[in-house]
Structure formats: C-alpha cells, structure tokens
Amino acid sequence: MADACMPEGFYELVLPLLPPEKEPGPQGGRRAIAHHTVLKVIWFVLVTGCRWKDVPQELGCCGETGRTRIQAWERAGTWDQIHHLLLTRLRQENQLHLETVIIDSTHVRAFGGGESSGPSPVDRRKKGTRYTLLVDRDGVPLVIRSAPANRSDHQEILPTVVEYPTIGGKPGRPRTHPEKLYADAAYDSEATRSILRWLGIEPHIRYRDGEHGSHLGRVRWVVERTISWIKGLRRLRIRYDRLDTLIDGWTTIAAAVVCFHILKDAVAS
C-alpha cells in the first residue's frame, strides 16, 4: 500500500506534533539525529518489514535510533496525537463517517514471544498476538488494540469500543460513541449486545448458529480490506519486537499511515 520512501507531505503534516529537536548541551557533544531522518527510517522499516540491524546506512541513522525514538514517542503519546490529527483532517474533508463502526481481529506470529503474546488458537498454539481493529463505515482505522493471541474476541470488543475516539474538526459537539456496530459471529454474545445497547449503540452481530443470508457482510467487508492494508505494511505481518511500547507504537503508526493515504487520495480527487 505504501512506498518505502516516506512522503514529504507526511512529515510536514506531523512536524508540529513532534517533540522539539534536542540541541547539544553546554558541554557540547554530538547533535541528536533529526526527527526527519528518524521518521524516514521508521517508515522504511514499517513498509519493508526489515530488521532494525538491516536498515541501510544511506537512510542517515541506524535502526537502533529508530527503535529508541518509537518507544520514546509512544510513551509521550505522540503517535496517538498523529493518528488523531489525521482523523480530524479526514473529518474536515468529509471522509470520516463515525455513526457506524465495524470490528474484526487478526492474528500474527510473535517470534520469541514477549509482552502481549500468547498461544495462538489458529497457529498450532505457537506464540502470537491478536490485533483488534475498529473502523468507520468506509474502513478508516479508528482503533487498533493488541492482546495475546489466546484472548477471545468477547474479551476485546468492549475495551475496543470504549476507545472510540472523539474527533472534532467541524462545528458542533463531537460524537462520543457510534450509533451502530457491526461484527461477525465470533463476537456473538447476548451479554455484549446488552452492554452495547446500554451504551447507546445498536449491535448488528451475526448469530453463531443463525442462517446465512444476514447480508451483514455487505457492511463488514471494509474492515477486512483495512486489515489487508495494515498487514500490507510488512512490519505488521509478523511480530519481532517483544515490548508493548514497540507493539503499540507500530500499530498506531500503521493506522496513521493508512489514514494518511486515504486523506491523500481524498485531497487529490
């Protein structure tokens, strides 16, 4: 979905949200690697899926610097701010429709295990991670949560819905929850339906033992397309990093990159 070279438009958009560049102290010393250079490395690793130690020297810094910066900006909430900014811009361009959301999940292998990993029920109990994705009616990624692969969809649906973002960008009070939620039979639970209704959300969840022909797939297909976009960013196909700060950083960066491309296409059309 994305080219390995970071578009300058992405850097220009997120620059106001990045921490100030560090200057040498009174005792002098080497200047810190510029944010622009580090973002190029992070984008390259995200798209190509290469190991940190395999980052080409021509990009201007080593992979370890990129890994350190991802963690620091994740702790500071920078990636969440970038994702939120892109969602706001999409709403300003009438490309965000928050009244309807769709949820689904996917599993990825976690080589070496690490935090938020567990025995995968779909990969012979090998260590893996579950990504739960919430999108708007057109497939714009709103929330991505990571959890051990053995954590059930029932356990993830409500925490994911609770993270539904409040997006401004237009006159009026921003929406605090969707009107409707669509999900497949993996989320079939009367308790979940009851809680969603109590939250003011109309659930459209396929019954596990129900007959085919519900036509819910006409709405749900967009989340499967977005999952394919996310996993098209190769660093998200297989998990190599062990720490939650890196995993959460990568998932938010991936959501932001998908939003950036949707925004770019909308502005160009």
Side-chain angles (χ1 to χ4, degrees):
M1 168 166 186
D3 187 83
C5 296
M6 181 186 71
E8 284 302 309
F10 181 79
Y11 177 71
E12 293 168 1
L13 188 65
V14 307
L15 178 59
L17 301 177
L18 301 180
E21 301 271 6
K22 290 186 178 180
E23 298 293 336
Q27 303 299 321
R30 182 180 299 178
R31 183 184 296 272
I33 302 295
H35 292 336
H36 183 271
T37 300
V38 178
L39 269 177
K40 287 196 301 182
V41 167
I42 292 171
W43 185 287
F44 180 85
V45 173
L46 174 69
V47 174
T48 65
C50 77
R51 299 176 299 179
W52 289 115
K53 65 180 181 180
D54 293 332
V55 171
Q57 293 183 354
E58 309 87 79
L59 290 179
C61 77
C62 66
E64 185 60 36
T65 301
R67 175 164 56 185
T68 301
R69 208 71 63 93
I70 283 182
Q71 290 180 280
W73 292 352
E74 172 62 23
R75 296 188 189 103
T78 304
W79 300 120
D80 287 329
Q81 293 172 28
I82 290 172
H83 183 208
H84 191 276
L85 170 65
L86 286 158
L87 290 174
T88 302
R89 291 290 302 276
L90 283 166
R91 186 161 186 249
Q92 291 170 343
E93 296 289 334
N94 297 317
Q95 298 298 313
L96 197 61
H97 304 95
L98 295 165
E99 68 281 355
T100 298
V101 296
I102 307 97
I103 192 170
D104 205 351
S105 67
T106 186
H107 294 80
V108 297
R109 179 83 64 86
F111 282 106
E115 298 173 348
S116 293
S117 69
S120 174
V122 299
D123 192 14
R124 296 167 292 179
R125 309 299 293 174
K126 293 182 178 179
K127 288 292 184 69
T129 294
R130 174 191 298 273
Y131 295 139
T132 301
L133 184 64
L134 188 76
V135 304
D136 83 337
R137 75 178 191 196
D138 294 326
V140 175
L142 305 175
V143 179
I144 303 184
R145 282 178 53 87
S146 59
N150 57 329
R151 188 172 172 88
S152 72
D153 287 324
H154 297 300
Q155 294 173 294
E156 282 297 296
I157 182 171
L158 294 176
T160 303
V161 170
V162 166
E163 292 187 19
Y164 176 87
T166 302
I167 307 299
K170 285 191 172 184
R173 182 177 297 177
R175 181 181 292 277
T176 58
H177 64 271
E179 293 178 2
K180 301 177 183 179
L181 178 141
Y182 288 79
D184 63 19
Y187 298 92
D188 180 18
S189 165
E190 286 306 316
T192 297
R193 290 185 179 89
S194 296
I195 294 173
L196 289 172
R197 292 189 184 102
W198 180 76
L199 292 171
I201 304 169
E202 181 183 339
H204 295 267
I205 304 173
R206 184 174 177 271
Y207 288 92
R208 192 181 301 273
D209 299 324
E211 296 183 1
H212 290 285
S214 65
H215 304 300
L216 295 180
R218 295 178 181 177
V219 179
R220 289 193 293 103
W221 71 273
V222 296
V223 70
E224 297 171 1
R225 181 187 62 182
T226 303
I227 287 174
S228 72
W229 286 344
I230 294 290
K231 297 180 80 169
L233 301 167
R234 296 187 177 187
R235 192 71 183 193
L236 272 294
R237 291 185 188 177
I238 299 175
R239 175 185 159 175
Y240 297 104
D241 300 291
R242 296 179 57 83
L243 301 177
D244 276 345
T245 50
L246 282 165
I247 302 307
D248 294 340
W250 277 130
T251 54
T252 310
I253 295 166
V257 168
V258 171
C259 289
F260 173 76
H261 282 284
I262 295 173
L263 177 63
K264 185 175 69 171
D265 291 343
V267 172
S269 62

